[in-house]
Amino acid sequence: MKDIAVVTGASGGIGRAVAKKIHEASAGALRLALHYHGNQERAEAVQAGIPDSFLIQADLSTSAGRQDLLASVLKAGAPYILVNNAGIDRPHEPALNVQESSFDQLVNVNLKSPLFLMRDFGKEMIRAEGGMIINISSVLAHKSLVGSAIYRASKAALEALTKQFAFELGPRGVRVNAVAPGFIETPMTALLEDDMKVQIRSEVALERFGSPEAVAAAVCHLIDNDYINGAVISVDGGMAL
Ligand code: NAD
């Protein structure tokens, strides 16, 4: 059986590009497990473009969903790569109007899910004597944008966990890193109002938005370079400067 590369949220803009790039870079050595939640049509379209890949549907905001994902992957083989990409950025709420329900929603998907997937997939990788985990953070872990209080906190905490897991799993053969994208053109950012896009663009030193493929290239760099552990690579065109 081939080792498995798991990409969560593979039906989304960044997840699709990451899965495709890992498939191409591994030249068939790894089998892609494409996780999705909702939008089955888009997930099937992604799968159609990646030979030998398979789909797993799960709501990763729940413990049951995370367990389903792990069980489905283990049926197919040993997980060698986990990319914690699934994430949400809404609701957008000004700091003085943040709601507890929004906190639960955002933190469950953006923080709790990658935390417990790192724990559970990390154990399997150690059992298989090696593996790597890449978490998709955000430029907003490093800078402010009105309406992003909880999202920002969830991504900043994800970067802290990346370093903690890198420290504890490194000696056991598992590297853990993160990529912090800036404004990338995906279904998530397509929903933003035009004036918001103009404002964000004015904060990017390169004066343009990024592509999902640029994020995927950074993920593959972290996979390839076996001496990078606990790092966060920014792919933001200089938005955090
Ligand atoms: P997207 O909306 O295109 O994809 C998000 C994916 O997450 C989808 O596949 C969706 O099904 C999945 N998802 C959402 N809720 C889920 C749940 N409860 N359980 C399981 N899966 C769930 O967004 P994207 O732009 O491709 O974002 C991917 C990642 O990149 C996210 O973590 C996001 O925070 C991060 N990011 C994106 C940008 C950007 O500009 N697009 C910038 C910085 C960080």
Side-chain angles (χ1 to χ4, degrees):
M1 268 195 304
K2 282 185 194 173
D3 284 346
I4 311 291
V6 185
V7 179
T8 69
S11 60
I14 291 175
R16 177 197 55 80
V18 166
K20 208 163 185 314
K21 182 96 182 151
I22 293 176
H23 168 74
E24 288 163 5
S26 87
L30 292 168
R31 195 168 174 216
L32 266 294
L34 308 172
H35 158 269
Y36 72 103
H37 176 53
N39 208 330
Q40 184 170 349
E41 218 171 286
R42 212 189 285 160
E44 284 171 355
V46 176
Q47 186 198 10
I50 304 180
D52 200 27
S53 62
F54 60 103
L55 292 175
I56 302 171
Q57 203 287 133
D59 179 356
L60 299 181
S61 68
T62 69
S63 170
R66 295 189 289 272
Q67 281 164 22
D68 283 351
L69 174 64
L70 180 65
S72 303
V73 170
L74 291 177
K75 262 189 227 155
Y80 182 61
I81 293 173
L82 168 67
V83 182
N84 276 315
N85 164 75
I88 53 174
D89 70 333
R90 285 169 192 256
H92 297 164
E93 293 162 343
L96 290 179
N97 196 32
V98 290
Q99 304 296 310
E100 289 199 25
S101 56
S102 313
F103 180 91
D104 292 343
Q105 258 174 280
L106 279 154
V107 167
N108 279 343
V109 180
N110 293 356
L111 183 62
K112 200 170 174 188
S113 162
L115 165 58
F116 290 109
L117 291 177
M118 280 199 282
R119 180 193 68 182
D120 295 342
F121 278 87
K123 284 179 190 162
E124 296 301 329
M125 289 173 183
I126 289 166
R127 213 190 308 278
E129 296 179 353
M132 52 197 96
I133 298 172
I134 296 101
N135 295 317
I136 305 300
S137 175
S138 169
V139 65
L140 293 180
H142 309 276
K143 79 186 299 286
S144 304
L145 182 72
V146 170
S148 295
I150 303 170
Y151 180 77
R152 175 184 189 160
S154 71
K155 293 295 189 179
L158 179 60
E159 291 190 5
L161 285 177
T162 300
K163 290 174 191 293
Q164 185 69 28
F165 272 73
F167 184 71
E168 294 195 34
L169 272 55
R172 308 181 73 182
V174 178
R175 291 187 295 113
V176 185
N177 292 291
V179 175
F183 188 107
I184 307 297
E185 289 183 292
T186 70
M188 181 184 276
T189 46
L191 296 172
L192 290 173
E193 296 74 27
D194 285 346
D195 56 342
M196 183 66 122
K197 287 185 190 167
V198 170
Q199 189 213 317
I200 293 172
R201 199 182 148 119
S202 72
E203 294 184 26
V204 181
L206 291 183
E207 297 181 336
R208 56 185 163 86
F209 298 142
S211 68
E213 287 70 27
V215 179
V219 169
C220 284
H221 175 64
L222 291 171
I223 290 171
D224 281 350
N225 190 318
D226 72 0
Y227 203 58
I228 303 183
N229 189 35
V232 179
I233 297 188
S234 289
V235 182
D236 66 4
M239 185 174 163
L241 300 177

